[in-house]
Amino acid sequence: MHSLWDFSDFDDHELVHFVTDRESGLRAIVAVHSTTLGPGAGGVRFWHYSATGDAVADVLRLSRGMSFKNAMAGLPLGGGKAVILADEQRTKTPEMLAAYGRAVESLGGRYVTAEDVGINVADMVEIARQTRFVAGLPAAEGSVGGDPGPHTSYGVYLGVRAAVRRKLGKDSLAGLHIAIQGAGSVAGGLARRAAADRARISVADIDRERAERLAREVGGTVVDPSEIMALEADLLSPNALGAILTQESIEALNVPIVAGGANNQLATPADGDRIRDRGILYAPDYVINAGGIINVATEYLRDGDGELVSRRIEGIPERLDRIWDESESSGLNPAAVADAMARRLIGRS
Ligand code: NAD
């Protein structure tokens, strides 16, 4: 039997809170990794786990990830995350969400919740009836909020341009070939902006119709999902799944740059070294994809308008450049540099 302290993902988390509500059937875990910079903020995931240990490992890993992401985005927020353990049918009831909201409220603001996989804006509205410590609600007229996707996309686009400037010495995407994995919210925004800059787009999605629609819109080409990772292009932008950069896929890469919004792109920390060893420039995922959390944070903290959100997102290229500079001077790969910088910021180096 594992104790919590034995989990390999346990990293001196400040709080791990187990929630059971018999009446609604809610079982949830809230983890706060660090509150050094502010309340632990991060989404709640609604997911069926085949073993409780998997849910614990997930919430520990994801909450630490949020500490790093929020710190590197320059936000006055710590890192937290929650998981709701769904049954196999993923039954979700208003009573369950209400019980979850009460649990968040009971933590007195040490954890701020928002949406993640399996939770939508309507669910967030339900949760917000029970707690003040919530973000990711529909934007009221003239205020910040709503879908974080377009903000994430904007940051990814700026990060892509920064990578192109650094690796290819070009100030524009004009004439470059960009391979995009995924044709969803983040990928779509990137493709439209890159196409407006006259880049050539190849796109792959397991939902072929979605890929075709996006390709039509941006005058691009649809590629089979099995081919996108090894496509010859100027840049690969992963915007679908995590853990796609493995020993095998890295050997097959045919691009000088990997820069995209998908979370947890590296399958293992060693894959950061593998990309560097191939001479490929990598943009650490949680730094380039911080646009969404920047919008959510501005909504929660009520400390700015849409204009300020954009200005904050425009800080992403400078952060990436700092990471790449330090990577060059230290020899550490960019993902390892980002982790070390984040640890310093939260006083855990
Ligand atoms: P989305 O659901 O809108 O789009 C994801 C797309 O990926 C879908 O169209 C899906 O069919 C496709 N896909 C799934 N598996 C695939 C595969 N094997 N090959 C090709 N395509 C595949 O999601 P999104 O909001 O655009 O997010 C994309 C990624 O960015 C995710 O990893 C997400 O965690 C990350 N991210 C999103 C945000 C945000 O604000 N939306 C913020 C930070 C990170």
Side-chain angles (χ1 to χ4, degrees):
M1 183 62 194
H2 258 11
S3 98
L4 189 58
W5 287 273
D6 298 331
F7 274 85
S8 61
D9 291 297
F10 184 75
D11 180 42
D12 293 336
H13 286 67
E14 288 180 19
L15 171 139
V16 182
H17 183 62
F18 290 82
V19 184
T20 313
D21 181 72
R22 274 175 177 268
E23 228 158 274
S24 64
L26 173 76
R27 288 200 307 149
I29 313 171
V30 179
V32 174
H33 175 251
S34 163
T35 56
T36 305
L37 299 176
V44 53
R45 182 166 288 197
F46 186 86
W47 195 250
H48 172 67
Y49 293 93
S50 43
T52 312
D54 295 347
V56 176
D58 218 20
V59 80
L60 292 175
R61 184 176 54 82
L62 293 167
S63 56
R64 180 186 47 202
M66 288 310 299
S67 280
F68 289 6
K69 182 170 184 157
N70 291 339
M72 288 303 283
L75 298 170
L77 292 173
K81 200 91 185 183
V83 293
I84 296 179
L85 287 75
D87 62 16
E88 259 179 276
Q89 290 71 43
R90 312 227 171 139
T91 318
K92 195 186 334 168
T93 64
E95 291 75 20
M96 223 179 236
L97 295 170
Y100 171 72
R102 288 194 297 276
V104 171
E105 181 67 20
S106 77
L107 296 174
R110 293 174 77 189
Y111 170 61
V112 177
T113 195
E115 54 261 85
D116 194 63
V117 178
I119 295 284
N120 57 37
V121 174
D123 298 332
M124 291 315 298
V125 171
E126 204 69 53
I127 292 166
R129 289 187 214 283
Q130 307 295 331
T131 181
R132 298 157 284 165
F133 308 118
V134 58
L137 299 166
E141 188 66 29
S143 70
V144 173
D147 179 10
H151 303 281
T152 303
S153 236
Y154 180 44
V156 170
Y157 163 72
L158 297 174
V160 159
R161 287 191 48 180
V164 161
R165 218 168 12 248
R166 187 162 194 113
K167 185 77 181 171
L168 307 177
K170 293 191 164 106
D171 270 329
S172 149
L173 302 185
L176 297 183
H177 179 198
I178 313 254
I180 304 183
Q181 184 182 44
S185 166
V186 177
L190 171 67
R192 284 185 278 274
R193 286 180 193 273
D197 287 354
R198 290 179 290 114
R200 184 157 68 87
I201 310 292
S202 293
V203 61
D205 196 297
I206 47 168
D207 181 341
R208 175 124 195 147
E209 215 174 286
R210 212 170 188 189
E212 279 169 359
R213 218 177 313 130
L214 183 58
R216 255 197 316 276
E217 195 186 331
V218 301
T221 310
V222 174
V223 174
D224 194 82
S226 64
E227 288 167 14
I228 193 81
M229 291 292 295
L231 197 70
E232 186 180 351
D234 294 298
L235 182 143
L236 170 70
S237 187
N239 293 292
L241 304 174
I244 34 92
L245 294 167
T246 61
Q247 182 168 2
E248 203 188 337
S249 72
I250 291 167
E251 276 166 19
L253 287 173
N254 218 344
V255 285
I257 304 167
V258 176
N263 278 316
N264 305 316
Q265 291 169 36
L266 300 175
T268 68
D271 295 313
D273 286 340
R274 292 193 176 102
I275 299 182
R276 177 205 55 201
D277 294 346
R278 283 217 48 209
I280 296 169
L281 184 67
Y282 174 66
D285 43 26
Y286 63 79
V287 179
I288 193 173
N289 74 16
I293 190 74
I294 289 173
N295 187 61
V296 165
T298 309
E299 170 197 346
Y300 180 72
L301 299 165
R302 296 197 176 87
D303 67 346
D305 56 8
E307 191 67 28
L308 190 60
V309 169
S310 296
R311 247 181 294 131
R312 285 177 173 156
I313 294 173
E314 285 153 14
I316 289 175
E318 194 257 323
R319 278 191 276 279
L320 287 170
D321 269 319
R322 250 190 303 135
I323 290 167
W324 291 325
D325 284 344
E326 195 170 317
S327 170
E328 273 172 26
S329 60
S330 69
L332 281 177
N333 76 65
V337 168
D339 285 359
M341 279 183 173
R343 280 198 177 278
R344 281 199 295 275
L345 288 169
I346 62 173
R348 298 271 188 107
S349 49

